[in-house]
Amino acid sequence: QAQLLESGGGLVQPGGFLRLFCAASGRILRIYAMGWYRLRPGKQRELVASITGGGRISYTDSVEGRFTISRDNAKNTVYLQMNSLKPEDTAVYYCNADLGTSWANRNDYWGQGTQVTVSS
């Protein structure tokens, strides 16, 4: 069994920055894509940023140029550096990973979520 553990959320003023961390642990054979989703009040969950096993990166338009996703394969960790934060970035952020726990098992895993609040 594998699990994802997130950290790094909090309260920040507009224009500030935060860095989110998500570490995968447990019985992991291979990590494919990893990404960050968010759930904003009154909105549907959206994919914020993703990075494939080969390093291909994509962002939703609203965070392009402000957020940076990266991963450390040796540590099974994905990061989300969030700069120039805006009140509309306020959300619960969830880490997601496409994990293989054996040659026959490959599933989506989710972190528990971390609250990011951007407010003065």
Side-chain angles (χ1 to χ4, degrees):
Q1 189 69 8
Q3 61 181 3
L4 303 180
L5 183 62
E6 305 166 9
S7 61
L11 172 64
V12 64
Q13 292 187 341
F17 63 91
L18 285 173
R19 185 173 170 90
L20 304 184
F21 304 80
C22 173
S25 62
R27 186 182 177 90
I28 299 170
L29 183 64
R30 182 174 177 178
I31 302 178
Y32 299 89
M34 302 184 83
W36 291 93
Y37 287 74
R38 68 185 178 186
L39 183 61
R40 294 185 286 177
K43 304 279 188 180
Q44 290 189 329
R45 185 177 63 188
E46 64 174 332
L47 176 61
V48 176
S50 65
I51 181 168
T52 67
R56 188 172 69 234
I57 290 172
S58 65
Y59 299 99
T60 191
D61 288 346
S62 62
V63 308
E64 185 82 51
R66 300 188 297 121
F67 291 11
T68 302
I69 189 172
S70 60
R71 63 190 281 175
D72 184 335
N73 291 327
K75 296 181 179 179
N76 290 342
T77 299
V78 64
Y79 309 93
L80 186 67
Q81 178 68 39
M82 306 185 293
N83 297 331
S84 302
L85 282 161
K86 303 176 181 180
E88 52 264 42
D89 294 317
T90 295
V92 179
Y93 284 72
Y94 296 90
C95 175
N96 171 265
D98 179 5
L99 301 179
T101 55
S102 73
W103 292 114
N105 290 307
R106 176 177 173 177
N107 292 291
D108 250 6
Y109 288 82
W110 292 89
Q112 79 282 6
T114 185
Q115 176 70 45
V116 171
T117 302
V118 185
S119 175
S120 55

